[in-house]
Amino acid sequence: MQGISRRHFFGAVCGGCLAVREGFRATPVQAQAGGTAAAAGPVRTSRFGPNDTLGNMNLLTPQKVQEAARLVTQGRAYPMGIVVDRSTPAFPPRSVGVTVLMPGQEGGQTFGNNKMSYVDDMISGWLGVGTQIDTFAHLGVDYTFYNGNKAQDFVRTTGVTKLGVENVPPMVTRGVLVDLAKFKGKPRLDGGELVTADELRQAMQQQNVRVTPGDAVVLHTGWLSTLPENPKRFGDEEPGIDGAGAQLLAGMQPCAVGADTWGVECVPFKDPNVVWQGHQILLAQNGIHILENLDTSALVRDGVSEFMFTLGQPRYRGAVQAIINPVAIR
Amino acid sequence: MQGISRRHFFGAVCGGCLAVREGFRATPVQAQAGGTAAAAGPVRTSRFGPNDTLGNMNLLTPQKVQEAARLVTQGRAYPMGIVVDRSTPAFPPRSVGVTVLMPGQEGGQTFGNNKMSYVDDMISGWLGVGTQIDTFAHLGVDYTFYNGNKAQDFVRTTGVTKLGVENVPPMVTRGVLVDLAKFKGKPRLDGGELVTADELRQAMQQQNVRVTPGDAVVLHTGWLSTLPENPKRFGDEEPGIDGAGAQLLAGMQPCAVGADTWGVECVPFKDPNVVWQGHQILLAQNGIHILENLDTSALVRDGVSEFMFTLGQPRYRGAVQAIINPVAIR
Amino acid sequence: MQGISRRHFFGAVCGGCLAVREGFRATPVQAQAGGTAAAAGPVRTSRFGPNDTLGNMNLLTPQKVQEAARLVTQGRAYPMGIVVDRSTPAFPPRSVGVTVLMPGQEGGQTFGNNKMSYVDDMISGWLGVGTQIDTFAHLGVDYTFYNGNKAQDFVRTTGVTKLGVENVPPMVTRGVLVDLAKFKGKPRLDGGELVTADELRQAMQQQNVRVTPGDAVVLHTGWLSTLPENPKRFGDEEPGIDGAGAQLLAGMQPCAVGADTWGVECVPFKDPNVVWQGHQILLAQNGIHILENLDTSALVRDGVSEFMFTLGQPRYRGAVQAIINPVAIR
Amino acid sequence: MQGISRRHFFGAVCGGCLAVREGFRATPVQAQAGGTAAAAGPVRTSRFGPNDTLGNMNLLTPQKVQEAARLVTQGRAYPMGIVVDRSTPAFPPRSVGVTVLMPGQEGGQTFGNNKMSYVDDMISGWLGVGTQIDTFAHLGVDYTFYNGNKAQDFVRTTGVTKLGVENVPPMVTRGVLVDLAKFKGKPRLDGGELVTADELRQAMQQQNVRVTPGDAVVLHTGWLSTLPENPKRFGDEEPGIDGAGAQLLAGMQPCAVGADTWGVECVPFKDPNVVWQGHQILLAQNGIHILENLDTSALVRDGVSEFMFTLGQPRYRGAVQAIINPVAIR
């Protein structure tokens, strides 16, 4: 059982890591597709036109922003970003750390008669750690990304030349939260627990969550509470949706889909030969951003299911992800 | 003249850099203070109590957040973060860059029958680059920081153990913009142009900008327009306030003071022996965050002087700064 | 003229860089080979057997090492490594830098009654900068490397699992220097100046340089003297050999071929559609290491053409290059 | 007991780490020295003159180099560098790792008609990991380093401006090995096992190891064999000498002292208030380099106690250490 699930996990999930750990490669390019890989067709042209790079961010009209602001009735702001450090589990081989120093102040020196002292900080590591946004440049189908952009045309070692994180406009919109743990009647879902499209639909119905175009949809599974308890387990698996669930959500036209898990989708995958299909459907086929490791705990504790969602991500030129801290306000 | 201003610049501004470039050190610890270094006394205990770490962020009450949301009348969101890359000028020796790669996909491989392709990104460099927040752990007086915290007690190579950027709550508040360029009747102030406390007061009066406790105050100088034109010049000097201006603003109890410059203060400093005194007054003496390189151009173009200000900064544990992208909404 | 040579340079030389700078790609995989690409056939099996990873390092027998030691007659040791720092030109987007700090000593603290003070250092950047060794994992033919190893089988994001720099044995052998500048009767060759195989043969004959199996062959062009004068020019072009010259040298069975240039081969390439063919011939087809940016100036000044060559490269697991400092002793 | 030894360890050994882990500081600057801190006086002027930066490297005369070469009688070369990777234990918070990628080759592209493929590598981390050289800029007494150099005068964030690793000449000299494990009659010494100066003297006498000026002295404890078995234990403690042993060796005028341990000295220190005194004596007071984590296993296995020692360290400008791979030849 353990053996099987590990095989599923490593066989399917992990790119660089599995190669390193096991000398094993996920289905190579010459593999013949089975019947399940619905998304593995060519990426279609965006309904916003062949030159569009914004996807459903196009739906963030002034009306939408105003609607979002009107949701602020209590005056409470919730940080949805988690704290990241060297020990934060992440998709291998990712990690990140900061180093702090006091430049030019060796031996107790200060600057000026006013004795200025200062601390500076360096960062080194990967951007896909902790709470993060996946841009359309992050994941695609057979080297083709959102709106038909080919890796060969825009992926460069010094940064992507299109679809980069610097181009994502402010995400100010209505946010809605679906409490999947509550729906399933437990404090948190299990690792590898799939929330089917049907269950997702039911949960939303039951909890009266209606998505309107341009919303940010946030799924609460409770899984993030595993992180402090068992970081390794947290990073090895997760509950979540699959391709069908992503398709269901895409039909509702949100600007973003997020969760309190590191990958939104159920891992290990149910079919180990179909990996991150939900990402393909959301990012590549529908122009919908993905938000991972969102801290939903306080929102759920306070019974919040609708809120003003705000996100201004750091604008590194050519990056495909960013470590973020969206703020939910209600 | 050039010689003098360079001397002022290097003598005063720069920590690690000047040492490297010129083997010259700013006034060392044993220097006797002149009369101007008003802030160089001991850092006082916070009015929010001896254990406080939030400073004026304490003023962001639910009422304040609600008030901010009510400022959204047009539904327009403005990103205030600039794009950062390897060429972004920054306080020496700071710089930052990303590297993009496609792990485990050498030779055109993909993952799974659904042919998943993905791009990942690494970051390396310093956090004080581009649009940034200075936390209370960034700068102090003679190794003493906000609320009397000593460097020896909380500065660690792997991250500060107190006052770190991960602890700054969401900054959701009323934002106000003072157009200093307009006040001086020119498109942008000059490098090294001091805006005195009196001028600042007059500008605010003239433009009917009233700061209420907990606001984010943003100063527009037009200086950021120098960046694309002449990056070196942009980074070598800047217009701005001084200690007296900082004191004036501190009296109004904002939660943050920002500008469209890389250091908010006038550089070269008028007295080369008094450096970054405004930072000391805001951060260490008053618990007011500093925001640098804010893109104010679109707000000014649209005549916006009051707006909802939102900032969720990445929560790197133990960092003292972060690259940010605040969103102004109105 | 300039336009043509730039096109040659960018069209041919540069991987990541050209893509970034010009959105231009060198001949893509589907290109039809012209007549010149002699090496672009399948990489052949090593004469040292199908499992060999050492190539001509196999020739470093005890006799060879003893022979090398006997060349030490004057007792002079020459560092062949150049100093590297942030400004060292390198193949784009490579660069490297160190950061120095005094951990845990903020405010003038020391450790213990014996007042220990210490300085530590960080490194960040690329390994192919300055004086460097290219291992067999660095460059190949159509994703195939020395002895038929496929990229897909051993290239991993966290390090190659075969042919890595950690596996290169100590290179202790006879070194010989060919003075190509002297041969051409000038202090240094020009950028883009090809030394044909015939010229190379003549130069060796004229200077009585005989290569015996296992030797390290070092080519002196004088080009390194361009580095302090004009770093940009130094990095934009170089004199050197081509595929035919590499083939000539390979026939002599050296363990390594090096030069006082950043890439050993003539750049811009004479045929812009055939790039780094000499590397393919040496590394992939013949198991001969490449050494770049060797400082040969003192050896030439002292008229040394035969010496004991010693190299112990840093053993980073899974790296494909290393910054080195070989020592020539005579 | 455990409590005591841990206290000794953390109290004494570790700079940045202890601060991070325990909020505890080793004796601060204002501490009054006890009687044991023999080295904690002012650093004396070098016997090679007040401007000397080479220390005992001055003793590497042509005669010395020739003498070393004559020790090559068997033609065997031994790499003394260990393999380093992300998991190599190191003095906190040090670590280092490489990342491998194939720039500009997304989707299976190659360069040119000759289908050039290449792999490149990045490095990020600290230089004091694995087999390393400590330069005179690494460690001193109360901010004073070799020959009276003050940290304030040469330590810069972008690299030291004096005594940096780029200035260490090739270390080509006679090497001698003292087998301390054999002396104590066991395969390896224990963590925390002190080899007193008397024992060191006896061991050298018994094994007929005579040090002549300019030699590289290598101590074999067997401790390195702990590394693969128990990396954590390896890094937490080590057998070694103390200040008195360092003084004994310094009297013999070697150019370097090394060991098969990560710090040469016995850790935990016998007097927790006197830390790394051996380093102070060797580096700061006597101009003798320190070499750590030398792989001596093959030399000991082959019964080698005298050999030609060669080291060309990477020449990073301004670094204070380097990851190295000295080669012993006999």
Side-chain angles (χ1 to χ4, degrees):
Chain A
M1 187 63 189
Q2 173 64 9
I4 290 175
S5 78
R6 293 303 289 178
R7 179 183 157 272
H8 283 207
F9 178 67
F10 283 108
V13 169
C14 175
C17 64
L18 71 109
V20 170
R21 296 204 208 136
E22 320 223 316
F24 171 90
R25 310 294 298 184
T27 317
V29 69
Q30 61 271 30
Q32 295 311 307
T36 51
V43 172
R44 64 175 177 234
T45 301
S46 167
R47 61 186 173 121
F48 299 107
N51 296 320
D52 181 68
T53 58
L54 298 179
N56 281 3
M57 293 299 287
N58 283 296
L59 303 173
L60 299 200
T61 59
Q63 290 70 31
K64 193 77 197 174
V65 173
Q66 286 175 284
E67 177 193 352
R70 280 195 297 269
L71 296 173
V72 179
T73 55
Q74 314 271 324
R76 285 217 48 189
Y78 299 82
M80 301 186 78
I82 65 169
V83 177
V84 297
D85 62 20
R86 282 171 179 74
S87 68
T88 306
F91 195 69
R94 296 181 196 159
S95 71
V96 76
V98 299
T99 300
V100 153
L101 63 166
M102 299 187 74
Q105 294 157 84
E106 294 74 22
Q109 298 170 97
T110 61
F111 294 96
N113 289 337
N114 58 325
K115 300 190 178 179
M116 193 272 282
S117 299
Y118 83 102
V119 182
D120 235 6
D121 38 15
M122 304 180 75
I123 185 168
S124 181
W126 298 74
L127 288 170
V129 179
T131 307
Q132 66 203 263
I133 181 171
D134 289 354
T135 69
F136 306 151
H138 176 52
L139 194 146
V141 181
D142 200 12
Y143 292 90
T144 307
F145 294 71
Y146 176 69
N147 216 356
N149 287 286
K150 307 278 184 199
Q152 291 86 331
D153 295 331
F154 75 98
V155 177
R156 300 292 176 266
T157 301
T158 51
V160 293
T161 57
K162 209 174 171 181
L163 304 179
V165 78
E166 76 272 29
N167 300 315
V168 178
M171 202 178 280
V172 178
T173 189
R174 175 177 176 257
V176 295
L177 184 146
V178 189
D179 188 342
L180 297 172
K182 186 182 179 187
F183 171 75
K184 293 238 186 170
K186 40 186 171 179
R188 71 174 169 222
L189 304 193
D190 299 320
E193 181 170 355
L194 175 66
V195 178
T196 66
D198 265 354
E199 289 170 329
L200 179 58
R201 187 184 294 110
Q202 285 170 40
M204 294 175 78
Q205 210 157 17
Q206 211 172 86
Q207 294 171 17
N208 205 22
V209 173
R210 238 166 313 180
V211 176
T212 54
D215 284 356
V217 179
V218 177
L219 308 177
H220 172 79
T221 68
W223 186 246
L224 195 61
S225 62
T226 315
L227 176 52
E229 295 170 17
N230 190 338
K232 184 173 162 16
R233 191 179 153 218
F234 174 79
D236 276 354
E237 50 184 30
E238 58 174 2
I241 61 174
D242 61 4
Q247 200 68 61
L248 172 69
L249 290 170
M252 300 170 185
Q253 303 182 44
C255 74
V257 170
D260 64 341
T261 63
W262 51 266
V264 175
E265 301 186 55
C266 172
V267 172
F269 299 105
K270 291 311 167 193
D271 178 348
N273 291 316
V274 180
V275 301
W276 302 118
Q277 195 175 30
H279 275 58
Q280 291 180 319
I281 291 169
L282 294 173
L283 295 170
Q285 297 290 15
N286 287 284
I288 296 168
H289 289 98
I290 295 177
L291 309 173
E292 292 160 340
N293 287 321
L294 294 175
D295 187 352
T296 51
S297 57
L299 288 169
V300 166
R301 183 199 61 209
D302 292 355
V304 181
S305 63
E306 193 184 17
F307 48 89
M308 181 184 194
F309 180 94
T310 65
L311 168 60
Q313 82 295 345
R315 300 181 69 192
Y316 314 113
R317 188 188 307 281
V320 303
Q321 297 162 105
I323 300 177
I324 55 170
N325 180 16
V327 179
I329 318 168
R330 61 120 184 190
Chain B
M1 187 62 191
Q2 173 64 8
I4 289 175
S5 77
R6 293 302 290 177
R7 181 184 155 271
H8 284 207
F9 178 65
F10 283 109
V13 169
C14 175
C17 65
L18 72 109
V20 170
R21 296 202 208 138
E22 318 225 317
F24 171 91
R25 310 295 298 186
T27 317
V29 69
Q30 61 272 30
Q32 294 312 308
T36 52
V43 172
R44 63 173 179 236
T45 300
S46 167
R47 60 185 172 119
F48 299 107
N51 297 320
D52 182 67
T53 57
L54 298 179
N56 281 3
M57 293 299 287
N58 282 296
L59 304 173
L60 299 200
T61 59
Q63 290 71 31
K64 194 77 196 173
V65 173
Q66 287 174 285
E67 177 193 353
R70 281 194 297 269
L71 297 172
V72 179
T73 56
Q74 314 271 322
R76 285 216 49 189
Y78 299 83
M80 301 186 81
I82 65 169
V83 177
V84 296
D85 62 21
R86 281 170 180 74
S87 68
T88 305
F91 195 69
R94 297 180 194 159
S95 71
V96 75
V98 300
T99 300
V100 154
L101 63 167
M102 299 188 74
Q105 294 156 85
E106 293 75 22
Q109 297 171 97
T110 62
F111 294 96
N113 289 339
N114 58 326
K115 300 191 178 179
M116 193 271 282
S117 299
Y118 83 103
V119 182
D120 236 6
D121 39 15
M122 306 181 74
I123 185 168
S124 181
W126 298 74
L127 288 171
V129 179
T131 307
Q132 64 202 264
I133 181 171
D134 289 353
T135 68
F136 306 151
H138 176 51
L139 194 146
V141 180
D142 200 13
Y143 292 91
T144 307
F145 293 71
Y146 176 68
N147 217 354
N149 287 287
K150 307 277 184 200
Q152 291 85 332
D153 294 332
F154 75 97
V155 177
R156 299 291 176 265
T157 300
T158 51
V160 293
T161 57
K162 208 173 172 182
L163 304 179
V165 79
E166 76 273 27
N167 299 316
V168 178
M171 202 177 281
V172 178
T173 189
R174 177 176 174 257
V176 295
L177 183 145
V178 189
D179 188 341
L180 297 171
K182 186 182 178 188
F183 172 75
K184 293 238 186 171
K186 41 186 171 179
R188 71 174 169 223
L189 305 192
D190 299 320
E193 181 170 356
L194 176 66
V195 178
T196 66
D198 265 355
E199 289 170 328
L200 180 57
R201 188 185 293 110
Q202 285 171 40
M204 295 175 77
Q205 209 157 17
Q206 213 172 85
Q207 294 171 17
N208 206 22
V209 173
R210 238 167 312 182
V211 176
T212 54
D215 284 357
V217 179
V218 176
L219 307 177
H220 172 78
T221 68
W223 187 246
L224 195 60
S225 63
T226 315
L227 176 51
E229 295 169 16
N230 189 337
K232 182 172 164 21
R233 191 178 152 220
F234 174 79
D236 276 353
E237 51 185 30
E238 59 175 0
I241 61 173
D242 61 4
Q247 199 67 61
L248 172 69
L249 289 170
M252 299 171 185
Q253 303 181 42
C255 73
V257 169
D260 64 340
T261 63
W262 52 266
V264 176
E265 301 185 56
C266 173
V267 171
F269 299 106
K270 292 310 169 194
D271 177 349
N273 291 316
V274 179
V275 300
W276 301 117
Q277 194 175 31
H279 274 58
Q280 291 180 320
I281 291 168
L282 294 172
L283 296 170
Q285 297 291 14
N286 287 283
I288 297 168
H289 288 98
I290 295 177
L291 310 173
E292 291 160 339
N293 287 321
L294 294 174
D295 187 351
T296 51
S297 57
L299 289 169
V300 166
R301 183 199 61 209
D302 292 354
V304 181
S305 62
E306 192 184 19
F307 47 88
M308 180 183 195
F309 180 93
T310 65
L311 169 59
Q313 82 294 347
R315 301 181 68 192
Y316 314 113
R317 189 189 307 281
V320 304
Q321 296 162 104
I323 299 177
I324 56 170
N325 180 16
V327 179
I329 318 168
R330 61 118 185 192
Chain C
M1 187 63 191
Q2 172 65 8
I4 289 175
S5 77
R6 293 302 289 176
R7 181 184 156 271
H8 283 208
F9 178 65
F10 283 109
V13 169
C14 173
C17 65
L18 72 110
V20 170
R21 295 203 208 137
E22 319 223 317
F24 171 91
R25 309 297 297 187
T27 318
V29 69
Q30 62 271 29
Q32 295 312 308
T36 52
V43 173
R44 62 174 179 235
T45 300
S46 167
R47 61 186 172 120
F48 299 107
N51 296 321
D52 181 67
T53 58
L54 298 178
N56 281 2
M57 293 299 288
N58 282 297
L59 303 173
L60 299 199
T61 59
Q63 290 70 30
K64 193 79 196 172
V65 173
Q66 286 174 284
E67 176 193 353
R70 281 195 297 268
L71 297 173
V72 179
T73 56
Q74 314 271 322
R76 285 216 49 188
Y78 300 82
M80 301 186 80
I82 64 169
V83 177
V84 296
D85 61 21
R86 281 169 180 76
S87 68
T88 305
F91 195 69
R94 298 180 194 158
S95 72
V96 75
V98 299
T99 301
V100 153
L101 62 166
M102 299 187 73
Q105 294 157 85
E106 292 76 21
Q109 297 170 99
T110 61
F111 295 96
N113 289 339
N114 57 327
K115 301 191 178 179
M116 192 271 282
S117 300
Y118 83 103
V119 181
D120 235 6
D121 39 16
M122 305 180 74
I123 186 169
S124 181
W126 298 74
L127 287 171
V129 179
T131 307
Q132 64 203 264
I133 181 171
D134 289 353
T135 69
F136 307 151
H138 175 51
L139 193 145
V141 180
D142 201 12
Y143 292 91
T144 307
F145 293 71
Y146 176 69
N147 217 354
N149 287 287
K150 307 277 185 199
Q152 292 85 333
D153 295 331
F154 76 98
V155 177
R156 300 291 176 264
T157 300
T158 51
V160 293
T161 57
K162 209 173 172 181
L163 304 179
V165 79
E166 75 273 28
N167 299 316
V168 178
M171 200 178 282
V172 178
T173 189
R174 175 175 176 260
V176 295
L177 183 145
V178 188
D179 188 341
L180 298 172
K182 186 181 179 188
F183 172 75
K184 294 237 186 171
K186 41 186 170 179
R188 73 175 168 221
L189 305 193
D190 299 319
E193 181 170 356
L194 176 66
V195 178
T196 67
D198 265 354
E199 289 170 328
L200 180 57
R201 187 185 295 110
Q202 286 170 41
M204 295 175 79
Q205 209 157 15
Q206 212 172 85
Q207 295 171 15
N208 206 21
V209 173
R210 238 167 312 182
V211 176
T212 53
D215 284 356
V217 179
V218 177
L219 308 177
H220 173 78
T221 67
W223 186 246
L224 195 61
S225 62
T226 316
L227 176 51
E229 296 170 15
N230 189 338
K232 184 174 161 20
R233 190 178 153 219
F234 174 79
D236 276 354
E237 50 185 32
E238 59 175 2
I241 62 173
D242 61 3
Q247 199 68 61
L248 172 69
L249 290 170
M252 300 171 185
Q253 303 182 43
C255 74
V257 170
D260 64 341
T261 63
W262 53 265
V264 176
E265 301 185 56
C266 172
V267 172
F269 299 106
K270 292 310 169 194
D271 177 348
N273 292 315
V274 179
V275 300
W276 302 118
Q277 194 175 30
H279 276 56
Q280 291 180 320
I281 290 169
L282 294 172
L283 296 171
Q285 298 290 14
N286 288 283
I288 296 168
H289 289 97
I290 295 177
L291 309 173
E292 291 160 339
N293 287 321
L294 293 175
D295 187 352
T296 51
S297 57
L299 289 169
V300 166
R301 184 199 60 209
D302 292 355
V304 181
S305 63
E306 192 184 17
F307 47 89
M308 181 184 195
F309 181 93
T310 65
L311 169 59
Q313 82 294 347
R315 301 181 67 193
Y316 315 113
R317 189 189 307 281
V320 303
Q321 296 162 104
I323 300 177
I324 56 170
N325 180 16
V327 179
I329 318 169
R330 60 120 185 191
Chain D
M1 187 60 189
Q2 172 66 9
I4 289 174
S5 79
R6 293 302 287 177
R7 180 184 155 272
H8 284 208
F9 178 64
F10 283 108
V13 169
C14 173
C17 66
L18 70 111
V20 170
R21 295 204 208 137
E22 320 225 315
F24 171 91
R25 310 297 297 188
T27 319
V29 69
Q30 62 271 29
Q32 295 312 308
T36 52
V43 172
R44 64 175 178 234
T45 300
S46 168
R47 61 186 171 120
F48 299 106
N51 296 321
D52 181 67
T53 58
L54 298 179
N56 280 2
M57 293 299 287
N58 283 296
L59 304 173
L60 299 199
T61 60
Q63 290 71 29
K64 194 79 197 171
V65 173
Q66 286 174 286
E67 176 192 354
R70 280 195 297 267
L71 297 173
V72 179
T73 56
Q74 314 270 323
R76 285 217 49 190
Y78 299 82
M80 300 185 80
I82 64 169
V83 177
V84 297
D85 62 21
R86 282 170 179 74
S87 68
T88 305
F91 195 68
R94 297 180 195 160
S95 71
V96 75
V98 299
T99 300
V100 154
L101 63 167
M102 299 188 75
Q105 293 157 86
E106 293 77 21
Q109 297 170 98
T110 61
F111 295 96
N113 289 339
N114 58 326
K115 300 192 178 179
M116 192 270 282
S117 300
Y118 82 103
V119 182
D120 235 6
D121 39 16
M122 305 181 74
I123 185 168
S124 181
W126 298 74
L127 287 170
V129 179
T131 307
Q132 66 204 263
I133 181 172
D134 289 353
T135 70
F136 306 151
H138 176 51
L139 194 145
V141 181
D142 201 13
Y143 292 91
T144 307
F145 293 71
Y146 176 69
N147 216 354
N149 287 287
K150 307 278 184 199
Q152 291 85 332
D153 294 332
F154 75 98
V155 178
R156 299 291 176 266
T157 300
T158 51
V160 293
T161 57
K162 209 174 173 181
L163 305 179
V165 79
E166 75 274 28
N167 299 316
V168 178
M171 201 177 281
V172 178
T173 189
R174 176 176 176 257
V176 294
L177 183 146
V178 189
D179 188 341
L180 298 172
K182 187 181 178 187
F183 172 75
K184 293 239 186 170
K186 40 186 171 179
R188 73 175 168 220
L189 305 193
D190 299 319
E193 181 170 355
L194 176 67
V195 178
T196 66
D198 266 355
E199 290 170 326
L200 179 59
R201 187 184 294 111
Q202 286 171 41
M204 294 174 79
Q205 210 159 17
Q206 213 171 86
Q207 295 171 16
N208 205 21
V209 173
R210 236 168 311 182
V211 176
T212 53
D215 283 356
V217 180
V218 177
L219 308 177
H220 172 79
T221 67
W223 186 245
L224 195 61
S225 63
T226 316
L227 176 52
E229 295 170 16
N230 189 338
K232 183 173 162 19
R233 191 178 152 219
F234 174 78
D236 275 354
E237 51 184 30
E238 58 175 3
I241 61 174
D242 61 4
Q247 199 68 61
L248 172 69
L249 290 170
M252 299 171 186
Q253 303 181 43
C255 74
V257 170
D260 64 341
T261 63
W262 51 267
V264 176
E265 301 186 56
C266 172
V267 172
F269 299 106
K270 292 310 169 195
D271 177 348
N273 291 316
V274 179
V275 301
W276 301 117
Q277 195 175 31
H279 275 57
Q280 291 180 321
I281 291 169
L282 295 172
L283 296 171
Q285 298 290 13
N286 288 284
I288 296 167
H289 288 98
I290 295 177
L291 309 173
E292 292 160 339
N293 288 320
L294 294 174
D295 187 352
T296 51
S297 57
L299 288 169
V300 166
R301 184 199 60 210
D302 291 354
V304 182
S305 63
E306 193 184 18
F307 47 89
M308 180 185 196
F309 180 93
T310 65
L311 169 59
Q313 82 295 346
R315 301 180 69 192
Y316 313 114
R317 189 189 306 282
V320 303
Q321 297 162 104
I323 299 177
I324 56 169
N325 180 16
V327 178
I329 318 169
R330 61 118 185 194

